[in-house]
């Protein structure tokens, strides 16, 4: 099981090609679920589990993994399915999201599949656990549901969108008021955080739920004759999204003479060490891990300061 993941270096070749690899697994039934392999550190048998008093109902306990204490989250219960019973033969998936590491208890790991983002579609609008999905796909005629892990984690530890008073008092940020920005993300949790934080700066926000919708929106504005650097202060885009990911979106922006000077920020829950190199590969202007309101404002300030630099 430990050999199911190869090195991240081999997977960086997917970036900019609108491709991804997903790790498929089961929870409390036969349904297949998945998460992006880039967020997975390892898959292993459940180590000794320690119970913690007053823990969240979704948290089974904690484990010690090479000197690091990690919470173990029952992913089945977290998305509204029946709880899993942890035991010595249980499997955990260790992941990194938004600079934090956690383990998810699962019913069993299936395999890794290399896919094109065009085959990853938004989930249908319905009740039930669809509320916890960012996308769906099919593998060998089996439906695969891709879990919105950001939403799961936000329900356990709510995110903070409040910007510190010290940041908001910066006179440079006054120049953001009334300016327009484009937010591109398939996670409602991430979009809410962006809206709540940027709303404190008085900016006008346009929303797109994936890279293809965002690109079509940008091209429509450009087709109408608008100067895009006057229209938009900046773009915040997630990395992984159905139909077109943030890397491909950035590549398409750089390849269109009308769009190429737009300021693009990769705003993602993927690990910083990976993205810092990938940002350069596809031509993003900046990179920011999610759920950091003060740093988000710092990035807006950096963009505003560029207006003072002579061309």
């Amino acid at each position: 099981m430990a050999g199911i993941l190869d090195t991240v270096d081999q997977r960086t070749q997917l970036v900019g090609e609108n491709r991804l690899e997903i790790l498929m697994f089961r929870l409390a039934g036969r349904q297949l679920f998945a998460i992006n392999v880039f967020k997975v550190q390892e898959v292993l048998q459940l180590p000794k589990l320690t119970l913690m008093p007053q823990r969240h109902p979704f948290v089974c306990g904690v484990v010690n993994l090479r000197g690091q204490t990690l919470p173990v989250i029952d992913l089945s219960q977290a998305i509204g399915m029946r709880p899993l019973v942890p035991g010595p033969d249980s499997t955990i998936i260790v992941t990194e999201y938004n600079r934090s590491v956690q383990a998810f208890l699962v019913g069993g790991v299936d395999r890794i599949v290399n896919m094109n983002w065009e085959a990853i579609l938004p989930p249908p609008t319905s009740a039930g656990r669809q509320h916890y999905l960012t996308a769906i796909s099919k593998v060998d005629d089996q439906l695969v549901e891709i879990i919105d892990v950001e939403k799961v984690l936000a329900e356990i530890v709510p995110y903070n969108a409040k910007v510190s008073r010290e940041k908001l008092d910066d006179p440079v940020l006054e120049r953001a008021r009334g300016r327009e920005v484009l937010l591109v993300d398939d996670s409602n949790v991430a979009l809410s955080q962006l809206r709540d934080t940027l709303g404190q700066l008085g900016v006008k926000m346009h929303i797109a739920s994936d890279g293809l919708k965002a690109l079509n929106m940008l091209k429509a504005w450009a087709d109408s004759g608008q100067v895009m650097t006057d229209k938009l202060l900046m773009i915040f885009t997630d990395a992984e999204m159905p139909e077109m990911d943030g890397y491909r979106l950035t590549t398409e922006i750089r390849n269109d003479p009308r769009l190429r000077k737009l300021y693009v920020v990769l705003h993602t829950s993927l690990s910083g060490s990976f993205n810092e190199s990938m940002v350069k590969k596809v031509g993003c202007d900046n990179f920011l891990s999610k759920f950091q309101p003060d740093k988000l404002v710092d990035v807006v300030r950096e963009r505003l300061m560029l207006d003072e630099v002579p061309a």
Side-chain angles (χ1 to χ4, degrees):
M1 186 168 14
I4 197 167
L5 298 175
D6 296 323
T7 63
V8 168
D9 288 342
Q10 292 172 306
R11 295 193 160 82
T12 59
Q13 302 306 314
L14 300 174
V15 170
E17 304 300 325
N18 210 40
R19 299 191 68 82
L20 79 158
E21 286 185 306
I22 57 173
L23 173 63
M24 300 193 302
F25 53 89
R26 289 181 170 83
L27 295 174
R30 296 181 57 81
Q31 174 60 47
L32 282 171
F33 297 91
I35 57 176
N36 193 323
V37 167
F38 276 135
K39 295 180 178 176
V40 178
Q41 291 190 348
E42 58 185 315
V43 177
L44 68 158
Q45 194 168 314
L46 177 66
K48 181 182 177 182
L49 187 68
T50 301
L51 301 182
M52 300 291 289
Q54 298 181 326
R55 64 186 185 275
H56 190 279
F58 300 162
V59 177
C60 307
V62 297
V63 295
N64 188 283
L65 197 60
R66 291 182 287 280
Q68 186 176 19
T69 301
L70 305 179
V72 177
I73 299 165
D74 181 349
L75 193 51
S76 181
Q77 185 177 10
I79 67 170
M81 299 175 65
R82 62 180 172 85
L84 296 170
V85 179
D89 296 326
S90 296
T91 300
I92 58 171
I93 302 174
V94 180
T95 66
E96 180 182 354
Y97 283 81
N98 305 319
R99 309 167 317 284
S100 70
V101 180
Q102 53 283 310
F104 290 106
L105 181 70
V106 299
V109 167
D110 186 83
R111 57 192 157 124
I112 289 173
V113 178
N114 184 314
M115 302 187 72
N116 192 304
W117 271 113
E118 292 170 358
I120 309 294
L121 303 174
T125 303
S126 64
R129 67 169 178 262
Q130 305 287 1
H131 190 47
Y132 290 91
L133 304 181
T134 58
I136 60 170
S137 190
K138 276 194 172 182
V139 176
D140 297 335
D141 292 325
Q142 284 187 285
L143 181 69
V144 180
E145 301 183 350
I146 301 175
I147 293 177
D148 186 350
V149 178
E150 291 173 5
K151 177 174 175 57
V152 171
L153 295 175
E155 291 187 350
I156 296 172
V157 181
Y159 68 82
N160 174 29
K162 188 173 178 59
V163 181
S164 66
R165 175 49 55 187
E166 177 186 358
K167 297 287 183 184
L168 291 177
D169 287 342
D170 188 334
V172 173
L173 293 176
E174 276 299 313
R175 301 207 299 268
R177 190 166 301 278
R179 297 294 300 273
E180 298 179 43
V181 299
L182 175 60
L183 313 179
V184 192
D185 205 305
D186 61 326
S187 169
N188 287 330
V189 171
L191 284 174
S192 293
Q193 184 260 340
L194 279 169
R195 283 195 297 257
D196 291 349
T197 299
L198 293 173
Q200 296 169 67
L201 303 182
V203 299
K204 178 181 177 181
M205 290 166 270
H206 303 277
I207 306 293
S209 58
D210 63 62
L212 184 58
K213 289 184 178 68
L215 183 62
N216 289 337
M217 190 181 297
L218 292 168
K219 287 181 178 293
W221 284 329
D223 288 344
S224 70
Q226 298 187 64
V227 177
M228 296 309 297
T229 49
D230 293 340
K231 168 75 175 175
L232 290 178
L233 177 65
M234 59 203 308
I235 299 170
F236 290 93
T237 180
D238 188 18
E240 48 175 343
M241 295 175 289
E243 299 198 72
M244 179 182 288
D245 65 23
Y247 303 113
R248 173 56 71 86
L249 170 62
T250 305
T251 299
E252 295 291 337
I253 288 171
R254 297 304 180 224
N255 288 337
D256 189 323
R258 305 168 302 170
L259 309 177
R260 65 167 53 127
K261 291 186 178 180
L262 286 168
Y263 192 91
V264 181
V265 180
L266 191 68
H267 184 244
T268 174
S269 56
L270 292 171
S271 65
S273 57
F274 164 74
N275 272 296
E276 285 167 9
S277 59
M278 292 306 101
V279 160
K280 295 177 183 177
K281 178 176 178 180
V282 299
C284 291
D285 295 286
N286 216 323
F287 160 73
L288 179 67
S289 293
K290 289 181 179 179
F291 309 121
Q292 301 183 90
D294 277 5
K295 290 190 176 182
L296 182 65
V297 169
D298 285 341
V299 170
V300 175
R301 188 184 192 281
E302 287 178 32
R303 166 63 188 91
L304 290 167
M305 293 299 291
L306 290 178
D307 290 338
E308 298 181 358
V309 178

